[in-house]
Amino acid sequence: MIPLIVSILCSLLIIVSILVFPKVKIFKKSIDTYWVIALFFAIILIVFKQINFKEIFEILTSKDSINPIKIILLFLSMTLLSIYLDKVGLFRYLANITVKKFNKSQYVLFIALYFLISILTVFTSNDVIILTFTPFICYFCKHAGINPIPYLIGEFFAANTLSISLIIGNPTNIYIASIMNITFIEYLSFMFIIGITLCLALFFILLFVFRNKLKEPMNISDTDVKIESKALLIVGVIHLSFATIFMAIANYIDIELYLISLSAAISLSIISTVYHLIRKQKDVLLKETYKNLPYAFIPFLTSMVIIIGSLRNSGIMNDIALILAKNDSVLLYSTSSFLLGNVMNNIPMSIFYSELLRINSTIITTKHIYATIVSSNLCALFTPLGSLAGMMFLGLLKNQNINFKFKNFMKYCYVSIILLFIAYFIIMIK
């Protein structure tokens, strides 16, 4: 029972920490508490011999797709490419052009920003989009004297809906798809139409929900956002484009996804360094990019893998898998993973359900897998606890003096349920 008790306590404490004390200061440095809690409980399981170092080493060095190091490298290297483009100024530049071009009507502006964010999310990451666009939206809404909530909800919901479309759109996609040996193209061929459909459905839902707020007049002042270096912008776009293209054909050229993204990240880092050395400048851009990488993902994912490993050793995972197998319903996988994602956060949930899917691999279909992946994305829209991006989003709004709290977010939770059942319907007819 030790692994079960520890995993429950870990999930509960992570929720409490996110709500009450998301950060702590150690030696004047602010640290996220969620990964510290996960690491603490992982160490407890090691101390109580629920999992040993040999088993952990085997997990970390396994040659198959469940190797967490490969997943970490894939996520961090793709995030590096996105953050680099953000630091160059690409996203702010595109957003600024959009605002200046479509500033006659809130309806037109909302539509333009919604689809810009949706498109960018497909090729970058939902977390990067939220980090980039949230301060920008707060800024232009303040100067235009308009309510920022429609745009903020549109941004957050779009980013966590279109993230379904590509395997690289969300760490949960990467983890579940990798463990179930789903290739980039297989994933794309099944999920892209679901992502597009949900994007359009969400658009019309939000347009209806905010119809009165979007009728209000606006007066956006003229501002300029400059690209720091057009040469480095081109280099960054080329690297992201090539990484995406090679990932699409990775299965045909027999190269693992993490090697492609890691090669692109290393190449971009070298070119950026050489460029600044030639110009006799400090590479502040690359330094800021590495500084802003989500390093907390490393101990968090590793700790959760250890916790799930201990549950597997105890036999509890087999018992839960057996319960799911007795009622082999796609809807059960979809709804249970959706709800559990809001109890233990979508990343731990994805690790947990990946193991269940693997145990039941002989009796489940691809529909069960994709339904779980959809839930891992959409659970972020039910409560802010559903994803780290949700709490990051509320933190950004607090810093911008926007009065939008947990209870305000919950006013729109029904939208995620509508999208979940639309996705379920599409999955069942495919």
Side-chain angles (χ1 to χ4, degrees):
M1 293 300 293
I2 292 176
L4 181 61
I5 293 169
V6 167
S7 61
I8 292 171
L9 283 174
C10 181
S11 298
L12 291 174
L13 272 178
I14 287 174
I15 291 172
V16 171
S17 72
I18 289 172
L19 290 173
V20 182
F21 51 98
K23 291 181 182 290
V24 292
K25 282 192 175 182
I26 300 177
F27 300 115
K28 296 182 179 180
K29 188 174 181 180
S30 185
I31 297 175
D32 293 313
T33 53
Y34 70 89
W35 69 264
V36 177
I37 292 169
L39 181 60
F40 171 75
F41 282 104
I43 292 171
I44 285 180
L45 289 169
I46 295 170
V47 170
F48 281 89
K49 299 181 180 180
Q50 300 303 306
I51 187 169
N52 58 49
F53 286 109
K54 182 182 177 182
E55 290 168 327
I56 296 170
F57 181 77
E58 287 174 355
I59 293 171
L60 296 178
T61 58
S62 64
K63 294 181 180 180
D64 56 26
S65 56
I66 66 169
N67 186 322
I69 293 177
K70 293 180 181 179
I71 295 167
I72 287 167
L73 289 173
L74 174 57
F75 174 66
L76 289 182
S77 54
M78 287 304 297
T79 303
L80 183 143
L81 297 177
S82 299
I83 293 176
Y84 190 87
L85 286 171
D86 174 35
K87 295 300 177 183
V88 172
L90 174 64
F91 302 145
R92 291 190 302 277
Y93 180 73
L94 291 174
N96 190 59
I97 289 176
T98 304
V99 170
K100 289 169 71 174
K101 190 173 180 65
F102 303 101
N103 62 1
K104 303 299 180 185
S105 160
Q106 279 208 65
Y107 270 108
V108 176
L109 180 59
F110 179 84
I111 293 168
L113 279 172
Y114 179 87
F115 286 106
L116 172 65
I117 289 167
S118 298
I119 293 167
L120 290 174
T121 299
V122 172
F123 297 103
T124 55
S125 159
N126 55 348
D127 291 347
V128 172
I129 292 297
I130 291 162
L131 278 170
T132 303
F133 277 84
T134 300
F136 175 81
I137 288 171
C138 294
Y139 173 80
F140 84 72
C141 286
K142 180 180 178 181
H143 285 269
I146 57 177
N147 191 331
I149 301 305
Y151 301 94
L152 291 168
I153 293 294
E155 169 218 22
F156 186 85
F157 277 47
N160 285 284
T161 301
L162 256 293
S163 58
I164 290 170
S165 303
L166 288 186
I167 197 171
I168 58 175
N170 197 319
T172 62
N173 305 350
I174 296 171
Y175 197 88
I176 298 174
S178 297
I179 284 185
M180 302 311 295
N181 296 313
I182 296 173
T183 66
F184 190 98
I185 290 295
E186 287 172 343
Y187 186 98
L188 178 66
S189 62
F190 194 100
M191 293 290 269
F192 195 75
I193 188 64
I194 296 175
I196 295 298
T197 304
L198 293 182
C199 174
L200 293 173
L202 174 63
F203 168 70
F204 287 111
I205 291 170
L206 294 181
L207 212 58
F208 176 77
V209 170
F210 296 118
R211 64 191 183 281
N212 292 326
K213 289 183 174 66
L214 295 176
K215 290 178 183 177
E216 298 171 3
M218 60 189 296
N219 181 28
I220 295 179
S221 56
D222 192 22
T223 57
D224 282 322
V225 175
K226 294 182 179 180
I227 299 294
E228 183 174 324
S229 169
K230 290 183 180 180
L232 292 176
L233 170 64
I234 294 169
V235 169
V237 170
I238 289 172
H239 277 79
L240 180 61
S241 301
F242 271 90
T244 306
I245 292 167
F246 275 96
M247 281 181 176
I249 61 173
N251 195 48
Y252 302 100
I253 57 179
D254 196 26
I255 298 179
E256 293 190 70
L257 296 183
Y258 85 97
L259 289 175
I260 295 170
S261 61
L262 183 61
S263 299
I266 293 171
S267 173
L268 179 63
S269 300
I270 293 171
I271 291 173
S272 179
T273 302
V274 171
Y275 174 86
H276 285 92
L277 283 173
I278 292 171
R279 295 175 66 91
K280 297 180 180 179
Q281 298 173 339
K282 289 185 178 179
D283 196 349
V284 178
L285 185 64
L286 192 62
K287 182 181 178 182
E288 284 297 309
T289 299
Y290 275 93
K291 183 181 177 181
N292 285 277
L293 283 176
Y295 294 109
F297 182 73
I298 300 172
F300 182 63
L301 180 67
T302 306
S303 300
M304 295 311 299
V305 166
I306 292 170
I307 291 170
I308 299 302
S310 70
L311 286 170
R312 183 174 60 245
N313 289 347
S314 69
I316 291 171
M317 297 295 293
N318 289 324
D319 294 338
I320 298 172
L322 185 62
I323 294 170
L324 287 173
K326 286 180 179 179
N327 187 1
D328 190 21
S329 164
V330 176
L331 184 61
L332 177 61
Y333 276 83
S334 176
T335 52
S336 60
S337 57
F338 177 84
L339 293 172
L340 191 62
N342 280 281
V343 173
M344 60 161 52
N345 189 270
N346 63 348
I347 294 177
M349 181 279 290
S350 298
I351 299 171
F352 185 81
Y353 263 76
S354 294
E355 185 62 28
L356 296 178
L357 289 166
R358 197 159 63 121
I359 293 170
N360 287 339
S361 59
T362 57
I363 59 174
I364 62 168
T365 66
T366 54
K367 292 181 179 182
H368 295 82
I369 300 169
Y370 288 119
T372 305
I373 292 174
V374 167
S375 295
S376 74
N377 286 261
L378 295 183
C379 69
L381 310 183
F382 189 67
T383 75
L385 297 174
S387 70
L388 297 176
M391 299 314 301
M392 179 176 67
F393 177 67
L394 293 185
L396 287 169
L397 297 187
K398 184 179 180 180
N399 292 337
Q400 295 289 330
N401 296 316
I402 302 292
N403 187 23
F404 190 81
K405 300 179 181 178
F406 193 99
K407 62 180 181 181
N408 303 111
F409 189 102
M410 289 299 297
K411 290 179 182 178
Y412 307 99
C413 67
Y414 63 90
V415 175
S416 62
I417 299 173
I418 296 171
L419 296 179
L420 184 69
F421 282 99
I422 292 173
Y424 169 75
F425 177 76
I426 299 170
I427 288 171
M428 294 309 294
I429 63 175
K430 279 180 76 73

